[in-house]
């Protein structure tokens, strides 16, 4: 299949849009496509067709300069335009481009129509597809005002969760298309008209909120629109209405700091006169007063995040941060004027030190934070913070000491293990139970990074961890990495490797032993793998025997394979895997 002059499409550009498997699956649908058309649209060309399978699916591919710019299919998985039906349409365009009926451009079709004729066309389209009414309502400059069109758009949202088998949610795209018009109205239209539009928008969100997941974007748009209105210095009555609508928006979808920074809301807030900013903060504070902590905390976070310049009295801001658990805000507000109080809060709240390093540094108190970590190494993340700071400042010896302390338990609380993690995890047993500190393997990597003599430093770990079953697997792995096979066997002692080491590490350990010691362990591992009773287990057993040939001898490995065949004469998959391994 090569390119063609009709569409400009080439096999290379077509296949770049679809993965190999889907491209192949599309072949069986290529011949059955019907209603094939192509239509120019400016720099684009639209290819359309109907695919037939368990149902009829409408397929649309948009080309530009011979490349696939966009695609969509009405099948359940065609939303991203990379399904087998899209592949089929692209294949057909390559194989038989002449099958696509050439249509005039949309502009050429619409330009000759006067208003009555255009109305007639729209009525016929609505008869065929009633859902297009939402598109008509969302069109800017419609026959009714924006507030009325928004109310109608929300009233015609049709969603039945019992029939939403793919969990796609309600289609709110037509409403989403009206948000730009709403924001423009709040910037330029008369304030009463704009306020009515926002009220219709918020009323609509409120009406469907319990039944439909409206997502975050619509609530973002409503809050941005209201901040735009506040910035236009509305009358007292209109300002009160605007603030009340903003409070209602708080309960539709959580107002996150990410929204404030990512949608231009911070700039809108900062452009308000100081007295209006203070008024907004006061309204938010009052709105949260009688709520539960769960519902109040996000509102408090918005207030603290907006009020970075400190319009709220400092004592009240600190009270809010303490009350609702916004520890970062609390500590950041304390640092400039009272770093010792910030450090005390840091100890009490058990916040990782690295999380507040930037704030202490910006205020010129980085040294105080470092001394605090040195004095209180058992605080969450204190050792990691010290390690990072020592290393960044060239204090390699101090960094090595911190890493060794973290690994060997010097000055550290009790160790417990998490049996779900083969690496085992370092924990601190606090008043509320075990608290994860950091994975052991991460601290081993750090220790190695600052080691000047790894062979010597590894022996310190051997001395500290010998006899500790919770550290034995990690220690064996480190010794094997260092080529210390004999010491690994010595450290293992009389412990059963199958109970201590995970599968791959047990195999690695067994292959590192001398032949006489390796043979019984390897045969146990092979037997254990076969006992899984599946193809993966058989493949692992055969692979182990092949790898073990160099250690236990080829004859011993062949003998073990023959024994497996004899013990399991009906396991064809086992026999096949042994054959693949050369036995």
């Amino acid at each position: 299949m090569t390119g063609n002059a009709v569409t400009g499409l080439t096999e290379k550009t077509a296949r770049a849009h679809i993965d190999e498997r889907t491209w192949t699956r599309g072949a069986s649908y290529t011949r059955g496509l019907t209603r094939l058309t192509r239509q120019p649209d400016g720099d684009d060309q639209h290819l359309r067709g109907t695919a037939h399978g368990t149902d009829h699916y409408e397929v649309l591919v948009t080309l530009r300069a011979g490349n696939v710019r966009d695609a969509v299919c009405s099948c359940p998985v065609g939303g991203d335009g990379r399904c087998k039906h899209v592949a089929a349409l692209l294949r057909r365009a390559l194989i038989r481009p002449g099958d696509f009926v050439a249509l005039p451009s949309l502009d050429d079709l619409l330009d000759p129509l006067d208003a009555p004729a255009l109305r007639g066309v729209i009525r016929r389209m609505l008869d065929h597809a009633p859902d297009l009414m939402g598109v008509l309502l969302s069109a800017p400059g419609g026959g009714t005002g924006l507030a009325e069109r928004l109310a109608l758009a929300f009233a015609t949202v049709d969603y039945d969760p019992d029939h939403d088998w793919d969990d796609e949610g309600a289609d709110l795209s037509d409403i989403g298309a009206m948000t730009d018009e709403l924001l423009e109205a709040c910037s330029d239209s008369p304030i009463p008209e704009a306020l009515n539009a926002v009220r219709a928008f918020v009323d609509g969100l409120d009406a469907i909120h319990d039944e439909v997941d409206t997502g975050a974007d619509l609530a973002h748009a409503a809050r941005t629109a209201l901040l735009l209105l506040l910035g236009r210095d509305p009358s007292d009555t209109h300002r009160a209405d605007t603030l009340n609508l903003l409070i209602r928006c708080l309960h539709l979808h959580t107002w996150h700091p990410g929204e404030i920074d990512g949608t231009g809301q911070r700039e809108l807030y900062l452009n308000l006169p100081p007295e209006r900013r203070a008024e907004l903060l006061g309204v938010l504070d009052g709105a949260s007063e009688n709520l539960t902590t769960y519902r109040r905390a996000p509102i408090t976070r918005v207030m603290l995040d907006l009020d970075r310049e400190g319009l709220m009295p400092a004592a009240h801001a600190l009270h809010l941060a303490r009350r609702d658990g916004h520890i970062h805000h609390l500590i950041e507000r304390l640092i400039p004027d009272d770093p010792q109080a910030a450090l005390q809060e840091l100890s009490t709240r058990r916040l990782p030190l690295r999380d507040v390093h930037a704030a202490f540094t910006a205020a010129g108190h980085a040294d105080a934070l470092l001394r605090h970590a040195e004095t209180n190494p058992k605080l969450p993340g204190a050792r990691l913070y010290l390690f990072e700071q020592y290393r960044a400042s060239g204090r390699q010896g101090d960094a090595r000491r911190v890493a060794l302390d973290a690994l060997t338990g010097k000055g550290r609380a009790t160790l417990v293990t998490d049996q779900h993690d083969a690496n085992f995890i370092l924990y601190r047993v606090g008043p509320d139970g075990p608290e994860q500190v950091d994975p052991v393997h991460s601290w081993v990597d750090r220790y190695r990074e600052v080691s000047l003599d790894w062979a010597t430093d590894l022996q310190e770990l051997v001395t500290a961890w010998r006899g500790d079953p919770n550290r034995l697997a990690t220690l064996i792995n480190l010794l094997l990495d260092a080529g210390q096979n004999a010491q690994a066997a010595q450290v293992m002692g009389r412990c059963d490797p199958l109970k201590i080491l995970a599968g791959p590490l047990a195999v690695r350990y067994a292959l590192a032993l001398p032949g006489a010691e390796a043979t019984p362990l390897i045969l146990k591992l092979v037997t254990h793998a076969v006992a899984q009773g599946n193809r993966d287990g058989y493949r692992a057993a055969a692979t182990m025997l092949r790898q073990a040939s160099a250690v236990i001898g080829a004859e011993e490995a062949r003998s073990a394979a023959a024994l497996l065949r004899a013990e399991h004469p009906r396991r064809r998959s086992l026999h096949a895997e042994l054959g693949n391994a050369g036995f």
Side-chain angles (χ1 to χ4, degrees), residues 252-325:
L252 293 175
H253 203 283
T254 303
W255 199 358
H256 286 291
E259 174 189 341
I260 295 170
D261 290 322
T263 60
Q265 291 175 357
R266 184 176 304 285
E267 288 74 15
L268 294 175
Y269 169 81
L270 292 175
N271 287 336
L272 296 175
E275 65 272 16
R276 296 292 174 243
R277 276 177 268 161
E279 180 184 41
L280 174 58
L281 293 173
V283 168
L284 292 174
D285 195 8
S288 67
E289 196 169 87
N290 296 318
L291 298 178
T292 63
T293 302
Y294 176 79
R295 297 188 64 189
R296 185 182 63 211
I299 301 175
T300 302
R301 180 173 53 191
V302 167
M303 294 165 54
L304 294 170
D305 201 63
L306 285 174
D307 188 42
R308 290 182 179 175
E309 59 193 328
L311 283 176
M312 281 192 294
H316 185 58
L318 293 174
H319 162 71
L320 293 178
R322 282 194 185 94
R323 182 192 68 182
D324 294 330

Side-chain angles (χ1 to χ4, degrees), residues 536-552:
D536 289 341
Y538 302 152
R539 186 178 299 114
T543 301
M544 275 189 272
L545 284 177
R546 185 181 69 242
Q547 293 172 335
S549 295
V551 177
I552 66 176

Side-chain angles (χ1 to χ4, degrees), residues 42 49 68 104 293 296 386 417 448 482 514 564:
V68 180
T293 302
R296 185 182 63 211
L386 288 171
T417 60
R448 196 196 303 258
L564 288 176

Side-chain angles (χ1 to χ4, degrees), residues 206-226:
D206 208 6
I208 66 173
H209 183 66
D210 290 338
E211 300 293 332
V212 175
D213 180 7
T214 56
D217 290 344
L218 296 183
H220 294 182
R223 288 190 279 259
T224 302
L226 290 164

Side-chain angles (χ1 to χ4, degrees), residues 88 228 240 311 380 385 395 431 487 539:
L228 282 168
L311 283 176
Y385 178 74
R395 297 169 61 179
Q487 190 173 19
R539 186 178 299 114

Side-chain angles (χ1 to χ4, degrees), residues 516-529:
E517 298 176 35
T519 300
L521 179 55
I522 289 171
L523 294 180
K524 283 183 181 180
L525 289 167
V526 168
T527 301
H528 180 73

Side-chain angles (χ1 to χ4, degrees), residues 201-416:
F201 194 83
V202 175
D203 286 345
L205 286 175
D206 208 6
I208 66 173
H209 183 66
D210 290 338
E211 300 293 332
V212 175
D213 180 7
T214 56
D217 290 344
L218 296 183
H220 294 182
R223 288 190 279 259
T224 302
L226 290 164
L227 287 172
L228 282 168
L229 278 178
L230 287 175
R232 296 177 62 188
D233 195 21
S235 67
D236 290 349
T237 300
H238 290 150
R239 190 171 69 252
D241 289 343
T242 301
L243 291 171
N244 285 333
L245 287 172
L246 190 59
I247 296 306
R248 287 177 60 190
C249 286
L250 292 175
H251 308 302
L252 293 175
H253 203 283
T254 303
W255 199 358
H256 286 291
E259 174 189 341
I260 295 170
D261 290 322
T263 60
Q265 291 175 357
R266 184 176 304 285
E267 288 74 15
L268 294 175
Y269 169 81
L270 292 175
N271 287 336
L272 296 175
E275 65 272 16
R276 296 292 174 243
R277 276 177 268 161
E279 180 184 41
L280 174 58
L281 293 173
V283 168
L284 292 174
D285 195 8
S288 67
E289 196 169 87
N290 296 318
L291 298 178
T292 63
T293 302
Y294 176 79
R295 297 188 64 189
R296 185 182 63 211
I299 301 175
T300 302
R301 180 173 53 191
V302 167
M303 294 165 54
L304 294 170
D305 201 63
L306 285 174
D307 188 42
R308 290 182 179 175
E309 59 193 328
L311 283 176
M312 281 192 294
H316 185 58
L318 293 174
H319 162 71
L320 293 178
R322 282 194 185 94
R323 182 192 68 182
D324 294 330
H326 297 297
I327 310 307
H328 279 92
H329 284 286
L330 174 62
I331 292 174
E332 287 176 5
R333 284 175 181 262
L334 284 170
I335 290 171
D337 299 323
D338 195 348
Q340 290 306 313
L343 292 172
Q344 183 59 43
E345 290 285 352
L346 193 60
S347 299
T348 304
R349 306 287 182 165
R350 304 184 69 76
L351 190 70
L353 274 63
R354 65 193 309 193
D355 290 0
V356 295
H357 171 73
F360 271 90
T361 300
H365 297 302
D367 289 345
L369 183 61
L370 184 64
R371 289 193 299 272
H372 186 69
E374 291 171 335
T375 307
N376 303 276
K378 294 186 180 181
L379 288 175
R383 283 196 176 87
L384 179 56
Y385 178 74
L386 288 171
F387 178 87
E388 292 173 341
Q389 296 306 307
Y390 287 155
R391 190 158 187 220
S393 60
R395 297 169 61 179
Q396 298 293 93
D398 288 331
R400 177 190 170 281
R401 173 182 53 77
V402 170
L404 183 61
D405 285 351
L407 288 168
T408 60
K410 295 176 181 177
R412 179 172 48 77
T414 308
L415 281 170
V416 295

